[in-house]
Amino acid sequence: MSQRLTIRAVAATLAAVFASFSALACTDSASPAAPPAIENGPQFTVSSGVTNVTLVRANAGEIDVDSKYNDFKSKLSTKGNTDIVVNNNAMTPGGTSGWHTHPGITIVAIKTGALTLYDGDDPLCAPKVYTAGQVFVESGGHVHVARNEGGVTAEWFTTYVVPTGGSTRIDAPAPGNCPF
């Protein structure tokens, strides 16, 4: 019976999300309402000191774009209906994202401070430090954790390429390769 209630709760939440997106698509407003929060499921490893503000979430449909300018080439392709989500994020010194993954490509641009990333499949738990002005790109399904091991607040912008209506983050249990 509880599984049936959970399915009904999820269905009701999805209906509310789709109704909100329909309402946004049909209005011409200088400041549209913020998209509703999407439940990410259980939190296996607690995040702390992190704030995330969604700046925009928009539907892009299916994407298949090739671009060439002089010697520069790029390509973005998705199979299925796609949302693009842009977040502004901050993490205080000593903060952590908790172990997680993403369902699609994630592009992170560091504005201030530094983030230290640890990969869930790295048996040595080697840190990768990204500082202001640097960018890193993650593939979906890759378990990792971000930490602020510096002395100032880190701020960054994240662009997610995700399935329509889907979460941008999927919590994951600690893989056991790092002492934290």
Side-chain angles (χ1 to χ4, degrees):
M1 187 67 160
S2 65
Q3 185 177 18
R4 188 175 275 166
L5 290 175
T6 302
I7 291 170
R8 285 184 184 157
V10 169
T13 301
L14 287 174
V17 168
F18 291 134
S20 295
F21 282 112
S22 295
L24 287 173
C26 297
T27 61
D28 185 13
S29 170
S31 56
I38 296 175
E39 179 62 41
N40 292 326
Q43 194 169 27
F44 295 103
T45 57
V46 178
S47 63
S48 65
V50 180
T51 57
N52 302 298
V53 177
T54 299
L55 302 176
V56 64
R57 181 179 190 120
N59 183 263
E62 195 164 274
I63 302 169
D64 190 16
V65 178
D66 286 300
S67 179
K68 183 177 188 304
Y69 180 77
N70 294 329
D71 291 335
F72 178 78
K73 295 179 184 180
S74 61
K75 178 176 178 66
L76 179 60
S77 179
T78 64
K79 183 176 180 182
N81 208 359
T82 305
D83 281 353
I84 303 298
V85 183
V86 179
N87 281 3
N88 177 229
N89 315 279
M91 184 185 297
T92 58
T96 178
S97 67
W99 290 94
H100 66 281
T101 186
H102 306 281
I105 295 170
T106 303
I107 304 168
V108 178
I110 310 295
K111 181 178 178 185
T112 61
L115 287 179
T116 303
L117 263 61
Y118 295 90
D119 295 326
D121 59 358
D122 178 4
L124 300 177
C125 189
K128 295 178 187 168
V129 180
Y130 297 93
T131 60
Q134 292 186 310
V135 172
F136 62 91
V137 179
E138 301 170 334
S139 61
H142 176 74
V143 175
H144 58 282
V145 64
R147 297 164 49 105
N148 182 346
E149 298 177 347
V152 299
T153 296
E155 183 180 3
W156 68 97
F157 292 88
T158 308
T159 302
Y160 302 96
V161 180
V162 296
T164 296
S167 176
T168 57
R169 172 194 161 104
I170 302 162
D171 203 57
N177 63 318
C178 293
F180 46 83

